[in-house]
Amino acid sequence: MLNQKEQKEVIELVKKTRELIFRELEAARVTVKGAADYVTNVDYAVQDFLKKELEERFPQIRMIAEEKENRDLAADGIYWILDPIDGTTNLIHRYGMSAVALALYEKGEITFGVVYNPFHEELYYAAKGEGAYCNGEQIHVSDNVELQDAVVSYGSSPYEKKRAAELFPVFYRIFMNCADFRRTGSAELDLCYVACGRQEGYLEQDLKPWDYSAGSLILTEAGGCVKSWSGERLPYLKNADVIACTKKIEASLTELVRGGNA
């Protein structure tokens, strides 16, 4: 686990991506990876920068990242998990809801996480057992809100639209039992927004490890809970269907996801 000095050093590295992101965004080049799945020069520039800087400081820690091959991963290993730009479609559309997300995986758990939105100048971070913070101020979930008054965000799995016929009835059940829905287009930011009380729940299927690792620690350290749709702990080295919420609405939200009534 990183000590306080190392945590600050990593946070500063992530913050340094801001200038790089805005510079590269001036001449954004987009490559289509798949249906509604894109990568830009911004993604590659951020990934290359952080990979280089982290390797110099922590040569013993290997990186898992969205825009690279990730092979021979061991559950008892230690890895950086990086999404250079979470919310690439938002980035392409200048939507302002994109983030750099970096987590440290250590032998089955996430021990440190940073999520940085340079467009809103918000930096969320947490270390295991040390609480969660946004721009230096400690954050907590809004744990006094019942589901009927809760704001819930969702991810529509745009890369796999064949899931829509099964997913949208789930969303309908939840929508009819909560106050309102949100859709940000960034899983990591959604997790952080539950952590800081802007919304009470979030769910999405088939998230990659870099989509949820950093934000999941930030949320749990803020007093929330995160698990798979089947109720299991998240695997971190594999894709996962994620439910993230306050403890107050956990039971009712989970029941709706599984097809029951709140």
Side-chain angles (χ1 to χ4, degrees):
M1 187 165 168
L2 302 180
N3 59 40
Q4 291 285 336
K5 181 181 178 181
E6 290 170 332
Q7 290 175 27
K8 291 179 181 179
E9 191 172 7
V10 173
I11 287 170
E12 288 305 312
L13 282 178
V14 173
K15 288 174 67 176
K16 284 183 179 179
T17 62
R18 183 183 188 278
E19 182 179 346
L20 180 62
I21 288 168
F22 282 97
R23 183 173 70 243
E24 292 290 332
L25 195 55
E26 290 179 3
R29 297 181 299 278
V30 180
T31 300
V32 178
K33 296 193 292 183
D37 191 5
Y38 311 99
V39 61
T40 71
N41 54 302
V42 184
D43 297 77
Y44 287 122
V46 171
Q47 179 170 293
D48 291 346
F49 169 76
L50 287 175
K51 184 175 184 295
K52 176 179 178 294
E53 296 294 331
L54 290 169
E55 281 181 349
E56 288 181 0
R57 292 164 174 80
F58 307 94
Q60 74 282 12
I61 304 178
R62 180 179 161 193
M63 176 174 283
I64 301 169
E66 180 171 13
E67 309 307 338
K68 70 188 290 291
E69 291 189 33
N70 305 291
R71 296 180 177 180
D72 304 319
L73 303 178
D76 62 350
I78 301 176
Y79 308 104
W80 296 112
I81 301 179
L82 171 68
D83 195 339
I85 296 292
D86 184 53
T88 299
T89 301
N90 286 348
L91 185 82
I92 294 168
H93 289 270
R94 304 297 199 274
Y95 201 68
M97 296 292 287
S98 303
V100 181
L102 179 69
L104 181 60
Y105 170 97
E106 296 189 75
K107 301 179 180 180
E109 61 182 3
I110 303 299
T111 60
F112 182 70
V114 185
V115 176
Y116 176 48
N117 181 346
F119 301 94
H120 292 179
E121 276 297 330
E122 288 188 336
L123 188 140
Y124 299 86
Y125 60 93
K128 185 181 178 184
E130 298 178 12
Y133 299 83
C134 178
N135 292 349
E137 298 292 328
Q138 190 162 12
I139 56 174
H140 303 278
V141 297
S142 58
D143 208 24
N144 62 338
V145 179
E146 301 286 351
L147 180 60
Q148 64 185 20
D149 300 313
V151 171
V152 178
S153 64
Y154 71 99
S156 56
S157 299
Y159 309 152
E160 298 181 87
K161 291 187 177 179
K162 61 186 179 183
R163 292 174 178 260
E166 294 181 3
L167 276 178
F168 278 78
V170 176
F171 300 152
Y172 175 79
R173 285 197 299 273
I174 296 169
F175 178 73
M176 296 304 292
N177 285 276
C178 72
D180 204 356
F181 262 171
R182 295 292 182 269
R183 170 89 173 100
T184 71
S186 167
E188 293 281 16
L189 287 177
D190 274 319
L191 289 162
C192 291
Y193 288 177
V194 178
C196 72
R198 290 179 184 167
Q199 54 198 35
E200 284 69 44
Y202 161 67
L203 68 157
E204 186 163 2
Q205 284 193 337
D206 200 32
L207 290 175
K208 309 295 192 297
W210 41 83
D211 293 324
Y212 66 82
S213 292
S216 66
L217 177 67
I218 293 166
L219 174 55
T220 55
E221 286 293 319
C225 54
V226 58
K227 60 186 178 181
S228 73
W229 284 33
S230 59
E232 300 170 348
R233 68 187 302 272
L234 300 182
Y236 297 114
L237 298 185
K238 298 179 181 178
N239 291 12
D241 301 338
V242 174
I243 299 175
C245 59
T246 66
K247 293 177 182 177
K248 187 81 171 180
I249 70 167
E250 179 184 9
S252 51
L253 183 60
T254 301
E255 182 65 21
L256 288 169
V257 167
R258 295 176 181 173
N261 298 312

